[in-house]
mmCIF file of all heavy atoms in Angstrom:
data_model
loop_
_atom_site.group_PDB
_atom_site.id
_atom_site.type_symbol
_atom_site.label_atom_id
_atom_site.label_comp_id
_atom_site.label_asym_id
_atom_site.label_seq_id
_atom_site.Cartn_x
_atom_site.Cartn_y
_atom_site.Cartn_z
ATOM 1 N N PHE A 176 -51.002 43.548 -13.099
ATOM 2 C CA PHE A 176 -50.489 44.885 -12.795
ATOM 3 C C PHE A 176 -49.021 44.824 -12.388
ATOM 4 O O PHE A 176 -48.179 45.581 -12.881
ATOM 5 C CB PHE A 176 -51.320 45.526 -11.680
ATOM 6 C CG PHE A 176 -50.791 46.860 -11.238
ATOM 7 C CD1 PHE A 176 -50.864 47.958 -12.072
ATOM 8 C CD2 PHE A 176 -50.189 47.004 -9.994
ATOM 9 C CE1 PHE A 176 -50.356 49.197 -11.680
ATOM 10 C CE2 PHE A 176 -49.681 48.225 -9.588
ATOM 11 C CZ PHE A 176 -49.760 49.329 -10.431
ATOM 12 N N ILE A 218 -54.539 47.445 -7.399
ATOM 13 C CA ILE A 218 -55.272 47.895 -8.590
ATOM 14 C C ILE A 218 -56.697 47.357 -8.612
ATOM 15 O O ILE A 218 -57.592 48.005 -9.140
ATOM 16 C CB ILE A 218 -54.520 47.491 -9.883
ATOM 17 C CG1 ILE A 218 -55.128 48.199 -11.100
ATOM 18 C CG2 ILE A 218 -54.555 45.972 -10.100
ATOM 19 C CD1 ILE A 218 -54.153 48.913 -11.945
ATOM 20 N N CYS A 226 -54.222 54.635 -10.209
ATOM 21 C CA CYS A 226 -53.102 53.699 -10.271
ATOM 22 C C CYS A 226 -52.076 54.020 -9.190
ATOM 23 O O CYS A 226 -51.646 55.166 -9.068
ATOM 24 C CB CYS A 226 -52.455 53.785 -11.652
ATOM 25 S SG CYS A 226 -50.896 52.877 -11.752
ATOM 26 N N PRO A 227 -51.664 53.051 -8.379
ATOM 27 C CA PRO A 227 -50.705 53.319 -7.302
ATOM 28 C C PRO A 227 -49.314 53.694 -7.837
ATOM 29 O O PRO A 227 -48.509 54.248 -7.093
ATOM 30 C CB PRO A 227 -50.659 52.006 -6.523
ATOM 31 C CG PRO A 227 -51.179 50.970 -7.450
ATOM 32 C CD PRO A 227 -52.111 51.649 -8.393
ATOM 33 N N ARG A 228 -49.064 53.436 -9.112
ATOM 34 C CA ARG A 228 -47.732 53.730 -9.657
ATOM 35 C C ARG A 228 -47.703 55.099 -10.332
ATOM 36 O O ARG A 228 -46.817 55.907 -10.055
ATOM 37 C CB ARG A 228 -47.351 52.634 -10.660
ATOM 38 C CG ARG A 228 -45.873 52.513 -10.902
ATOM 39 C CD ARG A 228 -45.559 51.251 -11.717
ATOM 40 N NE ARG A 228 -45.695 50.027 -10.948
ATOM 41 C CZ ARG A 228 -45.900 48.820 -11.480
ATOM 42 N NH1 ARG A 228 -46.017 48.685 -12.797
ATOM 43 N NH2 ARG A 228 -45.989 47.757 -10.718
ATOM 44 N N CYS A 229 -48.685 55.379 -11.218
ATOM 45 C CA CYS A 229 -48.642 56.628 -12.006
ATOM 46 C C CYS A 229 -49.761 57.593 -11.648
ATOM 47 O O CYS A 229 -49.815 58.690 -12.172
ATOM 48 C CB CYS A 229 -48.669 56.300 -13.499
ATOM 49 S SG CYS A 229 -50.304 55.768 -14.080
ATOM 50 N N ARG A 230 -50.671 57.173 -10.767
ATOM 51 C CA ARG A 230 -51.815 57.993 -10.354
ATOM 52 C C ARG A 230 -52.813 58.220 -11.479
ATOM 53 O O ARG A 230 -53.742 59.026 -11.337
ATOM 54 C CB ARG A 230 -51.368 59.352 -9.763
ATOM 55 C CG ARG A 230 -50.555 59.234 -8.494
ATOM 56 C CD ARG A 230 -51.397 58.715 -7.342
ATOM 57 N NE ARG A 230 -50.568 58.024 -6.351
ATOM 58 C CZ ARG A 230 -51.022 57.095 -5.510
ATOM 59 N NH1 ARG A 230 -52.288 56.745 -5.526
ATOM 60 N NH2 ARG A 230 -50.236 56.512 -4.654
ATOM 61 N N GLY A 231 -52.608 57.559 -12.595
ATOM 62 C CA GLY A 231 -53.559 57.681 -13.702
ATOM 63 C C GLY A 231 -54.841 56.919 -13.406
ATOM 64 O O GLY A 231 -54.957 56.226 -12.392
ATOM 65 N N CYS A 248 -54.266 49.502 -15.608
ATOM 66 C CA CYS A 248 -53.801 50.865 -15.882
ATOM 67 C C CYS A 248 -53.233 50.872 -17.296
ATOM 68 O O CYS A 248 -52.232 50.203 -17.566
ATOM 69 C CB CYS A 248 -52.720 51.283 -14.882
ATOM 70 S SG CYS A 248 -51.971 52.860 -15.349
ATOM 71 N N PRO A 249 -53.862 51.613 -18.206
ATOM 72 C CA PRO A 249 -53.412 51.595 -19.608
ATOM 73 C C PRO A 249 -52.004 52.178 -19.775
ATOM 74 O O PRO A 249 -51.340 51.871 -20.774
ATOM 75 C CB PRO A 249 -54.442 52.461 -20.347
ATOM 76 C CG PRO A 249 -55.531 52.742 -19.379
ATOM 77 C CD PRO A 249 -55.038 52.457 -17.999
ATOM 78 N N SER A 250 -51.541 52.984 -18.806
ATOM 79 C CA SER A 250 -50.178 53.533 -18.926
ATOM 80 C C SER A 250 -49.130 52.556 -18.434
ATOM 81 O O SER A 250 -48.070 52.412 -19.043
ATOM 82 C CB SER A 250 -50.065 54.829 -18.110
ATOM 83 O OG SER A 250 -51.065 55.731 -18.482
ATOM 84 N N CYS A 251 -49.394 51.883 -17.306
ATOM 85 C CA CYS A 251 -48.391 51.001 -16.694
ATOM 86 C C CYS A 251 -48.437 49.572 -17.241
ATOM 87 O O CYS A 251 -47.499 48.816 -17.057
ATOM 88 C CB CYS A 251 -48.572 50.953 -15.191
ATOM 89 S SG CYS A 251 -48.337 52.557 -14.387
ATOM 90 N N GLN A 252 -49.537 49.220 -17.870
ATOM 91 C CA GLN A 252 -49.679 47.837 -18.374
ATOM 92 C C GLN A 252 -49.856 47.869 -19.885
ATOM 93 O O GLN A 252 -50.830 48.445 -20.385
ATOM 94 C CB GLN A 252 -50.884 47.157 -17.715
ATOM 95 C CG GLN A 252 -50.682 46.904 -16.238
ATOM 96 C CD GLN A 252 -51.953 46.432 -15.566
ATOM 97 O OE1 GLN A 252 -52.686 47.207 -14.952
ATOM 98 N NE2 GLN A 252 -52.250 45.151 -15.677
HETATM 99 ZN ZN1 ZN B 1 -50.304 53.400 -13.887
#
Side-chain angles (χ1 to χ4, degrees):
F176 176 69
I218 191 128
C226 170
R228 202 170 287 158
C229 74
R230 297 292 153 204
C248 172
S250 306
C251 298
Q252 292 171 262

